[in-house]
Short mmCIF file of all heavy atoms in Angstrom, two decimals:
data_model
loop_
_atom_site.label_atom_id
_atom_site.label_comp_id
_atom_site.label_asym_id
_atom_site.label_seq_id
_atom_site.Cartn_x
_atom_site.Cartn_y
_atom_site.Cartn_z
N MET A 384 65.45 107.10 76.88
CA MET A 384 66.44 105.99 76.80
C MET A 384 67.49 106.17 77.85
O MET A 384 67.92 107.26 78.20
CB MET A 384 67.10 106.03 75.38
CG MET A 384 67.79 104.76 75.09
SD MET A 384 68.22 104.56 73.31
CE MET A 384 69.56 105.66 73.07
N SER A 385 67.88 105.05 78.42
CA SER A 385 68.93 105.06 79.47
C SER A 385 70.19 105.68 78.99
O SER A 385 70.60 105.48 77.85
CB SER A 385 69.16 103.64 79.97
OG SER A 385 70.40 103.58 80.60
N ARG A 386 70.84 106.47 79.90
CA ARG A 386 72.12 107.05 79.54
C ARG A 386 73.18 105.93 79.36
O ARG A 386 74.24 106.18 78.77
CB ARG A 386 72.58 108.00 80.63
CG ARG A 386 71.76 109.23 80.72
CD ARG A 386 72.45 110.31 81.45
NE ARG A 386 73.10 109.86 82.64
CZ ARG A 386 74.36 110.25 83.02
NH1 ARG A 386 75.07 111.04 82.29
NH2 ARG A 386 74.85 109.85 84.16
N LEU A 387 72.94 104.76 79.87
CA LEU A 387 73.93 103.69 79.78
C LEU A 387 73.65 102.76 78.54
O LEU A 387 74.29 101.76 78.40
CB LEU A 387 73.90 102.84 81.04
CG LEU A 387 74.32 103.58 82.30
CD1 LEU A 387 74.14 102.66 83.50
CD2 LEU A 387 75.81 103.99 82.20
N ALA A 388 72.60 103.13 77.75
CA ALA A 388 72.28 102.27 76.65
C ALA A 388 73.47 102.08 75.72
O ALA A 388 74.27 102.98 75.47
CB ALA A 388 71.20 102.93 75.78
N GLY A 389 73.69 100.84 75.35
CA GLY A 389 74.80 100.51 74.48
C GLY A 389 76.05 100.21 75.21
O GLY A 389 76.98 99.65 74.68
N ARG A 390 76.13 100.57 76.51
CA ARG A 390 77.31 100.24 77.27
C ARG A 390 77.09 98.89 78.01
O ARG A 390 76.04 98.75 78.61
CB ARG A 390 77.58 101.29 78.32
CG ARG A 390 78.26 102.50 77.76
CD ARG A 390 79.33 102.98 78.74
NE ARG A 390 79.15 104.41 78.96
CZ ARG A 390 79.34 104.95 80.09
NH1 ARG A 390 79.71 104.18 81.20
NH2 ARG A 390 79.18 106.24 80.29
#
Side-chain angles (χ1 to χ4, degrees):
M384 197 165 71
S385 159
R386 291 202 313 138
L387 294 175
R390 279 221 233 144

